[in-house]
Amino acid sequence: HLLLFLLFVGPFNCFASYSRATELFYSLNEGLPAGVLIGSLARDLRLPTAGGQPPASLQPPLSFTLASHGLGGQYVQLDNRSGELHTSAVEIDREALCVESSGATILGGSAAVSSSSPSPESCLLLLDVLVLPQEYFRLVKVKIAIRDVNDNAPRFPVPHIRLSVPENAPVNTRLAIEHPALDPDMGTNSVQTYRLRDNYGVFTLDVEENENGERTPYLIVMGALDREAQDEYVTVIVAEDGGTPPLVGSATLTIGISDINDNCPQFNDSQLNVTLYGNSSLGTHVATVHAVDMDLGSNAQITYSYSQKVPQPSRDLFHLNESTGAITLSSKIDGDTPRLHRLIILGNGPGCIPAVITVLVTIIKVMMRPPEVVPRFIANEVEGVVYLKELEPINTPIAFFTIKDPDEKYKVSCYLDGDGPFRLSPYKPYNNEYLLETTKPLDFETQQLYEISVVAWNSEGFHVKKVIKVQVLDDNDNSPVFSEQLIELSIEENNVPNAFLTKLHATDADSGERGQVSYFLGPDAPSYFALDKTTGVLTVSTQLDREEKEKYRYTVKAVDSGFPPRESIATVTITVLDKNDNSPRFINKDFSFFVPENFPGFGEIGVISVTDADAGQNGWVALSVLNGSDIFVIDTGKGVLRAKVSLDREQQSSYVLWIEAVDGGDPALSSTAKITILLLDINDNPPLVLFPQSNMSYLLVLPSTLPGSPITEVYAVDKDTGMNAVIAYSIIGRRGPRPESFRIDPKTGNITLEESLMQNDYGLYRLLVKVSDHGYPEPLHSTVMVNLFVNDTVSNESYIESLLRKEPDISVEEKQPQISIEPTHKKMESASCMPTLVALSIISLGSIALVTGMGIYICLRKGKKHHRADENLEVQIPLNGRINLHMLEKKPMEISNI
């Protein structure tokens, strides 16, 4: 930047006397939006301006430029012409800029970190601005002080603060809270005060400020503490800053009261009176003393001891357990044993004066000795407990008992006291010997422990009991039992992988490892089911598809840990519930139906087969016609497509429908199929003769027409198609002087002259032409009359038309009589009989000649007819260009069978 600066101002060093450095100071709050005016350099430097802008007359105009776009330059925008300084889109965060210390300064331009600032709490942006041109050149040092706003709440570094106070802490004890709240804001916006939401009447807070301005809260004890009354106080410490409005932060403060040894052991009673029979056996429990210390831990440990005032014989006779305070008989009582013993016992605590209790033991002297019961155990016995396995056989021996009188003066008997499958019987042939045995197998699951007594008594009524405990040992004699033998489950298809199905539960009445149950899948379970061996949680690792398989049935095993292990089997059935995840599916994407035209309304055109792999409501499918619904309907249940009206192929030869199938799911799924209906032609249209247009029209045929020449044609069309539209032409009736003179081509309908016309062939010929199609089952036909007038000229058209009107119908397959034509020359008038006779002679000769000629002509015609016998008279007429296509409603279509 320095190099660029020297290169720039080097050429103007002659004006150096005009340049000078200036410093401007601005201040603004942090967090302001973009576009806030910080200051106007031109105005504050008193540079020549006009209305706040540099005058346009300055040539070149004033220019303001940041010497460097460093860290500080990103927070401001400088207008190069007006010199106005605004905030940029980058928001100024004072706490982020000035994190080093309260005097940290961020510089722009030739940026550097500085601790010098106008005030201890200043956070400055330093900018270097160049003012040009050279007449006004100067380097302006702009300092922008960032004022703090209260935009940060106090925050404790930990959410839970724990403090320990000894219970003997005196009033006004001060304890520093090691985790004070932090607030990045400065001055009064930082943490100012602390308070407790609940001081319990014994605590308060004070705040101390060190030389660096840091505030530390102190807990002050305001009352007496007693751990034995309350050992913990839980409250909330709140830190509050000095902003407007103030912001707060809080943390949980737990004040634990630590124990001191401020309590000593105490007995509830000062004296305890006990009576003991002189025949008591060793180890007999005499009494137990118990002292209480309210302190904790080692401060509450109590030991028991005899006072030095207790004589040694009493110490030897009674044993004192120093930990539990239990007193037991440790020596045998005889006749020399004192009958009263005063046992002074001390309860000792650490640093305490012992507590004292006196136990007075009075021994009652017994004049005779009780009977003795001596056991000899056969079964396994440990410290008076006999251990027997369950399922031991009946009459399993447990022990022998010998009953005797120590004084050998009295008769002694015994019996068994207590419930259980046991029997005590004399063991012969010995006297005073008894055998204890079982009477039925033991069952651990029914009862694990029996307590029985062998009672002996003598004739004087003294009783002695020998208590025996029988512990039944468990054996693996029970198999695991499922809570349900048939476990019926259900799950929706498309489940998430590793979905939970159920938690199997089986119990085993055996104990220990024998009763620990493990779970296993049976061999018939699919591999994608998993069963946790320990917990019995049954899961499925993959998505199930009801359409692929709806029900699963397999076995699971519960196996215990005994030896040998025992197991049980349950059956799991899983029903996969349906979800609407399948759209209706048509058997074909495109359906084609061939229907004869004139098919009756609401007749069955075809069946649209559609399926939906889903079940229930999700698999119910409704069909509807998307287009053409005014003509066609469809049966939703059966899928039968029908037409409301009879269809005419000549009006429309085919229909394309779109059928939509919608299932009953929510949301519903749908699919569509294309239906093409082709109408098969029915021979319901006879051929339509287009030419000649009328039975009354006629055509002049000149006698000079050569044989084989075309005279005219019959032209017809058929609206049907195929063979129904193949047209054949034939002459089915003739009338005229020589009607065989004309022939019609069965294929084209062209009428040609067969033979030369003679003088006597003049006249009107009427040909009845049959136009027939090849329809099935019955061909249809039309007829037309072709009128041919053989003459040289037509001199009297009205006369011919009158002949046409008067002419009777021609009978089919009958020769029409020749129509005489009035000759054009004048009638000869007979003047005498002689000419008449001459004429008759000539006519007779002519008749003979005519008959002879007709015979020859008939023979020739028969030959020609045999020559044409094999010709096909019925062929299709091509639609040539002379036909008006607008008269046809449909084009011929090739139809193939389904």
Side-chain angles (χ1 to χ4, degrees):
H1 298 313
L2 180 60
L3 177 60
L4 292 174
F5 176 76
L6 294 175
L7 288 174
F8 185 82
V9 303
F12 309 108
N13 55 7
C14 59
F15 302 101
S17 60
Y18 296 99
S19 64
R20 62 187 180 278
T22 307
E23 184 177 278
L24 294 178
F25 182 79
Y26 299 103
S27 63
L28 75 160
N29 292 338
E30 63 174 325
L32 294 178
V36 176
L37 178 63
I38 300 174
S40 175
L41 302 185
R43 182 187 64 230
D44 297 337
L45 294 175
R46 294 184 174 83
L47 296 176
T49 60
Q53 299 291 332
S57 59
L58 291 178
Q59 294 296 333
L62 285 175
S63 173
F64 300 86
T65 307
L66 288 175
S68 174
H69 295 279
L71 180 61
Q74 65 178 323
Y75 298 103
V76 298
Q77 287 183 338
L78 177 62
D79 191 308
N80 294 339
R81 297 296 304 275
S82 66
E84 288 185 348
L85 200 61
H86 296 83
T87 57
S88 69
V90 180
E91 184 178 301
I92 300 175
D93 185 359
R94 186 184 186 281
E95 289 72 38
L97 292 175
C98 302
V99 295
E100 294 292 332
S101 64
S102 61
T105 303
I106 306 299
L107 301 180
S110 54
V113 178
S114 172
S115 298
S116 61
S117 58
S119 66
E121 296 182 353
S122 293
C123 177
L124 300 180
L125 288 178
L126 298 187
L127 306 173
D128 291 342
V129 180
L130 296 177
V131 182
L132 296 174
Q134 62 272 22
E135 291 88 348
Y136 302 97
F137 171 75
R138 65 183 66 191
L139 175 63
V140 181
K141 298 284 187 178
V142 179
K143 295 182 179 181
I144 304 174
I146 309 302
R147 293 192 297 266
D148 182 48
V149 297
N150 191 27
D151 57 347
N152 293 279
R155 184 178 61 85
F156 285 90
V158 293
H160 193 176
I161 303 172
R162 187 169 185 88
L163 197 61
S164 180
V165 180
E167 63 176 325
N168 63 344
V171 176
N172 294 327
T173 298
R174 300 171 66 87
L175 299 169
I177 297 177
E178 298 297 333
H179 301 286
L182 304 176
D183 192 330
D185 294 326
M186 299 297 297
T188 58
N189 291 333
S190 63
V191 178
Q192 299 297 313
T193 60
Y194 291 87
R195 68 175 184 274
L196 295 177
R197 287 187 182 172
D198 187 359
N199 58 19
Y200 295 96
V202 292
F203 299 106
T204 188
L205 287 179
D206 189 19
V207 179
E208 292 186 4
E209 184 175 355
N210 61 16
E211 58 186 8
N212 295 327
E214 297 176 350
R215 296 173 180 266
T216 302
Y218 280 81
L219 181 70
I220 302 176
V221 179
M222 300 299 294
L225 302 175
D226 185 359
R227 188 206 63 79
E228 288 72 32
Q230 185 169 351
D231 60 353
E232 187 177 75
Y233 297 86
V234 179
T235 184
V236 175
I237 181 172
V238 179
E240 182 176 312
D241 62 21
T244 303
L247 302 178
V248 298
S250 63
T252 301
L253 177 62
T254 300
I255 305 171
I257 309 303
S258 58
D259 184 50
I260 63 170
N261 192 22
D262 58 345
N263 292 279
C264 290
Q266 291 182 353
F267 289 106
N268 293 331
D269 301 311
S270 61
Q271 183 171 309
L272 186 62
N273 297 322
V274 179
T275 300
L276 184 65
Y277 288 99
N279 61 352
S280 300
S281 59
L282 298 179
T284 299
H285 179 265
V286 178
T288 298
V289 295
H290 181 68
V292 178
D293 192 325
M294 300 299 293
D295 292 327
L296 289 177
S298 60
N299 293 332
Q301 289 183 354
I302 301 174
T303 59
Y304 302 93
S305 62
Y306 285 124
S307 171
Q308 294 181 358
K309 296 179 180 181
V310 177
Q312 190 62 41
S314 296
R315 293 171 183 252
D316 296 336
L317 184 61
F318 301 103
H319 175 262
L320 174 64
N321 188 310
E322 65 176 9
S323 300
T324 63
I327 304 173
T328 57
L329 183 64
S330 59
S331 297
K332 189 175 182 180
I333 301 174
D334 54 24
D336 298 332
T337 303
R339 296 295 175 251
L340 181 63
H341 297 266
R342 183 184 296 273
L343 306 178
I344 301 174
I345 299 174
L346 306 178
N348 305 294
C352 292
I353 299 174
V356 180
I357 187 173
T358 301
V359 179
L360 292 177
V361 181
T362 302
I363 298 176
I364 300 175
K365 186 176 181 179
V366 179
M367 299 305 297
M368 65 175 63
R369 291 185 294 174
E372 292 182 0
V373 179
V374 180
R376 288 170 293 167
F377 291 98
I378 301 172
N380 184 26
E381 180 266 340
V382 177
E383 295 182 356
V385 179
V386 177
Y387 295 91
L388 290 178
K389 288 185 177 181
E390 64 175 334
L391 303 181
E392 288 280 1
I394 300 175
N395 301 326
T396 297
I398 299 175
F400 279 113
F401 290 89
T402 301
I403 310 299
K404 62 181 180 178
D405 180 14
D407 298 329
E408 298 181 355
K409 296 180 182 180
Y410 308 101
K411 182 182 178 181
V412 180
S413 300
C414 73
Y415 65 91
L416 186 65
D417 185 23
D419 296 329
F422 305 103
R423 177 176 59 212
L424 182 66
S425 58
Y427 190 73
K428 297 179 180 181
Y430 304 104
N431 294 325
N432 298 328
E433 293 289 341
Y434 295 85
L435 176 64
L436 179 64
E437 59 185 351
T438 60
T439 59
K440 64 179 181 179
L442 303 178
D443 187 1
F444 175 87
E445 289 71 38
T446 303
Q447 188 169 344
Q448 294 86 35
L449 182 65
Y450 296 89
E451 187 171 313
I452 57 177
S453 300
V454 176
V455 181
W457 83 96
N458 59 18
S459 57
E460 296 297 321
F462 270 93
H463 293 72
V464 174
K465 279 187 178 183
K466 180 64 178 179
V467 178
I468 300 171
K469 294 182 179 180
V470 179
Q471 177 68 55
V472 182
L473 299 179
D474 187 30
D475 200 356
N476 193 31
D477 60 336
N478 291 279
S479 299
V481 178
F482 281 99
S483 56
E484 296 176 309
Q485 287 299 313
L486 178 60
I487 304 166
E488 296 178 327
L489 307 174
S490 63
I491 183 174
E492 280 195 344
E493 64 176 330
N494 304 330
N495 54 282
V496 297
N498 300 317
F500 172 83
L501 293 175
T502 189
K503 184 176 182 180
L504 302 181
H505 181 65
T507 57
D508 194 316
D510 295 323
S511 63
E513 292 184 355
R514 305 173 193 85
Q516 293 181 359
V517 180
S518 299
Y519 302 91
F520 301 94
L521 291 172
D524 54 345
S527 59
Y528 40 83
F529 289 96
L531 180 59
D532 190 278
K533 175 182 177 181
T534 305
T535 63
V537 173
L538 181 63
T539 57
V540 57
S541 61
T542 186
Q543 282 191 347
L544 299 180
D545 187 357
R546 190 205 65 83
E547 290 71 38
E548 181 179 339
K549 190 171 183 180
E550 183 176 4
K551 288 187 178 294
Y552 295 86
R553 185 184 181 94
Y554 54 86
T555 58
V556 291
K557 295 191 298 183
V559 183
D560 64 22
S561 301
F563 183 80
R566 301 174 70 98
E567 67 180 39
S568 63
I569 296 176
T571 301
V572 175
T573 62
I574 300 175
T575 302
V576 183
L577 303 179
D578 185 52
K579 292 182 71 174
N580 193 28
D581 58 344
N582 289 277
S583 300
R585 183 176 180 182
F586 289 93
I587 292 180
N588 299 315
K589 292 184 179 179
D590 296 328
F591 291 84
S592 296
F593 297 108
F594 295 86
V595 181
E597 65 174 331
N598 303 327
F599 194 67
F602 291 98
E604 181 178 324
I605 295 176
V607 177
I608 311 299
S609 297
V610 61
T611 60
D612 193 314
D614 293 322
Q617 187 73 15
N618 294 333
W620 181 85
V621 179
L623 297 174
S624 61
V625 181
L626 295 181
N627 62 326
S629 59
D630 53 339
I631 300 177
F632 296 95
V633 293
I634 190 165
D635 187 338
T636 295
K638 298 180 180 179
V640 177
L641 182 64
R642 307 176 190 272
K644 298 179 183 178
V645 297
S646 179
L647 303 178
D648 186 359
R649 190 205 63 80
E650 285 70 40
Q651 292 183 3
Q652 186 169 341
S653 61
S654 64
Y655 296 87
V656 176
L657 305 178
W658 289 96
I659 304 297
E660 182 181 40
V662 181
D663 62 23
D666 184 17
L669 301 178
S670 63
S671 61
T672 57
K674 180 182 178 183
I675 311 297
T676 302
I677 301 173
L678 299 174
L679 296 182
L680 300 177
D681 186 46
I682 297 296
N683 193 26
D684 58 345
N685 290 280
L688 175 64
V689 178
L690 301 181
F691 185 83
Q693 296 180 355
S694 170
N695 288 335
M696 301 299 292
S697 62
Y698 65 92
L699 181 68
L700 177 66
V701 179
L702 299 176
S704 61
T705 304
L706 297 177
S709 300
I711 303 301
T712 185
E713 68 174 343
V714 177
Y715 185 72
V717 294
D718 196 316
K719 293 183 179 180
D720 296 322
T721 59
M723 296 302 295
N724 295 331
V726 176
I727 299 176
Y729 301 88
S730 62
I731 299 175
I732 60 173
R734 305 169 184 264
R735 177 168 293 185
R738 190 153 52 96
E740 293 82 2
S741 301
F742 298 95
R743 174 182 176 271
I744 190 168
D745 190 308
K747 299 179 182 179
T748 63
N750 292 333
I751 298 176
T752 57
L753 179 65
E754 287 287 295
E755 301 173 350
S756 300
L757 296 173
M758 303 298 180
Q759 181 72 27
N760 55 355
D761 293 335
Y762 285 40
L764 179 65
Y765 290 78
R766 307 200 72 180
L767 304 178
L768 180 61
V769 178
K770 177 181 180 181
V771 183
S772 176
D773 60 23
H774 280 60
Y776 179 84
E778 181 179 354
L780 301 178
H781 69 273
S782 300
T783 59
V784 65
M785 187 70 72
V786 179
N787 301 304
L788 303 176
F789 183 64
V790 178
N791 204 358
D792 294 322
T793 61
V794 179
S795 59
N796 191 351
E797 291 184 4
S798 60
Y799 173 72
I800 298 174
E801 291 176 357
S802 65
L803 291 178
L804 293 176
R805 285 193 295 270
K806 294 178 181 180
E807 186 68 27
D809 294 337
I810 300 175
S811 299
V812 178
E813 302 296 337
E814 289 186 3
K815 270 192 174 182
Q816 302 295 335
Q818 183 177 357
I819 302 174
S820 60
I821 304 299
E822 183 180 356
T824 55
H825 53 81
K826 294 182 179 179
K827 290 185 179 180
M828 299 177 59
E829 297 181 355
S830 175
S832 63
C833 294
M834 193 65 180
T836 303
L837 293 174
V838 174
L840 290 173
S841 299
I842 294 172
I843 292 172
S844 299
L845 293 174
S847 298
I848 295 171
L850 178 62
V851 171
T852 303
M854 289 296 293
I856 296 171
Y857 174 79
I858 290 172
C859 291
L860 293 175
R861 291 288 294 177
K862 286 183 178 180
K864 291 182 180 179
K865 287 182 179 179
H866 287 296
H867 177 70
R868 295 193 301 267
D870 297 331
E871 291 184 5
N872 183 10
L873 300 179
E874 296 179 341
V875 294
Q876 184 176 9
I877 297 178
L879 301 179
N880 55 40
R882 289 178 292 175
I883 300 176
N884 186 0
L885 296 180
H886 292 288
M887 298 177 63
L888 302 178
E889 294 187 5
K890 289 296 172 185
K891 296 181 180 178
M893 176 177 289
E894 181 179 353
I895 304 296
S896 62
N897 290 332
I898 298 176

